Amino acid sequence: MTGVDHAAQTARLEAAVPLRISDCLDVCDQANVIVVQPSATGRAAGGRPVWLGLVNDPEATEDIITWVRSGGPGVAPLPEILGLYAFTPPGRPANP
């Protein structure tokens, strides 16, 4: 998306939480897409990856960092504000 400082967003996430950059996720209409994977503890508690789309402002990035630091999927509930960004990508089952 134009007007978004992708490098700054990536650098901020990389400095704060574990980060893996991926090639195309086939949901370009939702860019920027961030998939938050559960930690081992979160997986053990039933956490599933959470797909967040249209993450195009620094405040949303900070909200994601805060959630991941508090445990993320399976450990900490998805903050209401991030629920506005959550989506189910085509071909994947919805999170319960």
Side-chain angles (χ1 to χ4, degrees):
M1 168 172 247
T2 57
V4 175
D5 188 344
H6 299 284
Q9 183 182 46
T10 299
R12 176 65 185 121
L13 288 165
E14 202 166 39
V17 296
L19 180 69
R20 182 179 330 151
I21 305 294
S22 175
D23 288 333
C24 181
L25 296 173
D26 292 328
V27 286
C28 297
D29 61 321
Q30 296 288 327
N32 284 347
V33 174
I34 296 177
V35 181
V36 180
Q37 298 284 344
S39 63
T41 302
R43 279 190 302 279
R48 306 284 304 147
V50 175
W51 289 61
L52 304 170
L54 304 173
V55 182
N56 296 313
D57 61 75
E59 293 81 11
T61 301
E62 292 304 318
D63 291 336
I64 293 167
I65 289 168
T66 299
W67 180 46
V68 170
R69 286 181 171 169
S70 67
V75 175
L78 181 68
E80 189 173 322
I81 190 70
L82 292 181
L84 299 174
Y85 296 90
F87 73 100
T88 300
R92 296 190 188 264
N95 287 335

